[in-house]
């Protein structure tokens, strides 16, 4: 597999989001889903609607999310809709909770290592293309959260999230063996990539670098300075590039961030995804002015 091209800018601005999308040179078409994290109630680190607004408007996109599988303000459609309003998403954009109504859409994963099917929000079928717009940060269970997590846990329905976390057994939501969970994320991510068949692009914003995810209502404050924005057409390469920038950083908070990643074996999601063949860990980092 050829090296993937990953574009990078240091300045985190709305204009540079647009610049990076345009640099990809493969405009998304049709009805476009913009998959991002709505942010749990109380979380201070999630990407804000005002920041992504110029890009979402350029795409005429719909902000899409799915309900969670754990207690909070996003585990039912009613609560999630109210939170989307409180956080300003509904004020600025069309919003779609993709699993607001069942039944879930089931995607087959014949090559999956841990799971052979993925349960996503049924409304995924309404979109021709997708932009995965991720906030790269740490994560209490996955070690880190980026493009692969948005594809897997992010697109999964509430039931689907439990299915992935439990490596095929929703009852083991919080108790599945760690590498089995990470490999299930890779499996499920592959099914969404296959479904869109090239009609998908990825942007990750490396800001508010906390060890905690935007799903945490009480997240630890960021431990590193912002790094920049990256974009590509390969989610495996994109996550690898983001992680490599953390490793190369001289920031005093780097080791604290990496302890979270390494203690959860976070890189294994990337390893498992690369082994499935829907992306490569080899990339060329192209910095734009």
């Amino acid at each position: 597999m050829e090296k993937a091209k990953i574009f990078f800018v240091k300045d985190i601005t709305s204009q540079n989001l647009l610049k990076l999308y345009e640099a990809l040179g493969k405009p998304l078409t049709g009805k476009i889903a913009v998959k991002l994290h709505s942010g749990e109630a109380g979380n201070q680190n999630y990407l804000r609607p005002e920041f992504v607004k110029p890009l979402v408007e350029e795409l005429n996109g719909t902000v899409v999310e799915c309900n969670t599988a754990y207690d909070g303000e996003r585990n039912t459609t009613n609560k999630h809709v109210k939170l989307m309003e409180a956080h300003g998403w509904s004020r600025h954009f069309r919003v779609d909770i993709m699993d607001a109504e069942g039944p879930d859409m089931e995607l087959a994963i014949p090559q999956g290592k841990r799971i052979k099917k993925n349960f996503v929000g049924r409304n995924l079928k309404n979109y021709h293309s997708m932009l995965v717009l991720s906030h790269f940060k740490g994560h209490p269970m996955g070690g880190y959260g980026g493009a692969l997590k948005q594809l897997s846990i992010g697109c999964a329905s509430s039931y689907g999230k439990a299915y992935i976390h439990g490596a095929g057994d929703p009852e083991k939501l919080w108790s599945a063996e760690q590498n089995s969970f990470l490999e299930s994320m890779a499996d499920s991510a592959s099914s969404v990539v296959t479904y869109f068949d090239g009609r998908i692009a990825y942007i990750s914003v490396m800001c508010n670098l906390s060890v905690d995810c935007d799903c945490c209502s009480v997240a630890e404050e960021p431990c590193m300075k912002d790094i920049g924005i990256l974009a590509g057409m390969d989610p495996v390469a994109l996550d690898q590039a983001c992680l490599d920038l953390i490793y190369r950083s001289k920031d005093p908070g780097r080791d604290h961030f990496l302890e979270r990643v390494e203690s959860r074996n976070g890189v294994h999601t990337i390893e498992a995804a690369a082994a499935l063949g829907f992306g490569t860990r080899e990339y060329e980092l192209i910095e734009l002015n």
Side-chain angles (χ1 to χ4, degrees):
M1 189 175 292
E2 294 182 2
K3 286 186 177 181
K5 290 185 177 181
I6 301 296
F7 298 93
F8 171 59
V9 292
K10 292 180 180 177
D11 292 333
I12 300 176
T13 66
S14 298
Q15 292 70 29
N16 279 341
L17 274 180
L18 275 167
K19 179 188 288 188
L20 282 175
Y21 171 72
E22 291 166 354
L24 295 176
K26 295 182 179 179
L28 299 175
T29 59
K31 189 174 182 182
I32 301 171
V34 179
K35 178 65 190 74
L36 47 74
H37 201 300
S38 50
E40 185 57 69
N43 186 276
Q44 74 276 37
N45 295 324
Y46 67 94
L47 300 179
R48 298 305 197 266
E50 294 79 8
F51 170 64
V52 305
K53 186 176 181 181
L55 177 55
V56 178
E57 288 183 340
E58 175 69 19
L59 298 174
N60 192 27
T62 300
V63 169
V64 302
E65 261 282 34
C66 285
N67 293 320
T68 63
Y70 52 82
D71 289 340
E73 296 306 312
R74 300 183 303 134
N75 66 330
T76 70
T77 298
N78 185 52
K79 287 194 290 183
H80 205 164
V81 167
K82 290 180 179 177
L83 181 130
M84 291 291 245
E85 293 171 351
H87 282 181
W89 298 109
S90 304
R91 183 166 64 252
H92 293 287
F93 313 115
R94 293 187 302 274
V95 167
D96 182 4
I97 308 297
M98 293 193 293
D99 64 335
E101 297 181 5
D104 293 337
M105 180 178 176
E106 188 174 319
L107 302 178
I109 321 173
Q111 80 285 10
K113 182 175 182 179
R114 294 291 176 179
I115 57 176
K116 300 296 184 181
K117 54 188 175 181
N118 184 26
F119 299 92
V120 300
R122 65 178 291 184
N123 291 352
L124 190 73
K125 69 180 185 300
N126 296 332
Y127 300 96
H128 182 261
S129 307
M130 175 177 279
L131 174 68
V132 176
L133 181 52
S134 306
H135 172 210
F136 187 89
K137 67 283 182 188
H139 193 279
M141 294 194 70
Y144 82 93
L148 292 171
K149 181 175 178 293
Q150 283 275 34
L151 284 168
S152 56
I153 298 294
C155 291
S157 67
S158 180
Y159 175 82
K161 287 175 171 62
Y163 190 85
I164 295 167
H165 268 282
D169 184 352
E171 296 300 317
K172 294 183 178 179
L173 172 61
W174 307 122
S175 60
E177 190 270 328
Q178 179 67 5
N179 280 353
S180 296
F181 158 55
L182 300 177
E183 290 162 5
S184 294
M185 281 208 292
D187 289 344
S188 54
S190 74
S191 71
V192 178
V193 172
T194 298
Y195 177 77
F196 279 104
D197 190 24
R199 304 183 307 275
I200 188 165
Y202 309 88
I203 299 178
S204 290
V205 185
M206 298 186 74
C207 68
N208 298 337
L209 290 163
S210 168
V211 299
D212 286 329
C213 181
D214 298 343
C215 58
C216 300
S217 58
V218 181
E220 185 178 296
E221 286 295 317
C223 63
M224 296 180 65
K225 292 181 180 177
D226 296 349
I227 291 177
I229 314 173
L230 295 86
M233 301 300 291
D234 184 325
V236 181
L238 183 60
D239 275 10
Q240 184 68 63
C242 289
L243 201 53
D244 287 345
L245 286 173
I246 298 289
Y247 273 99
R248 294 178 194 141
S249 173
K250 304 299 184 184
D251 191 291
R254 163 189 174 273
D255 290 350
H256 180 57
F257 190 97
L258 287 176
E259 190 281 330
R260 174 58 60 88
V261 177
E262 293 173 353
S263 65
R264 274 66 168 179
N265 197 24
V267 71
H268 190 55
T269 307
I270 297 173
E271 294 170 342
L276 289 171
F278 68 94
T280 176
R281 300 178 72 183
E282 301 298 320
Y283 63 90
E284 175 188 4
L285 191 67
I286 303 168
E287 185 169 352
L288 304 179
N289 296 323

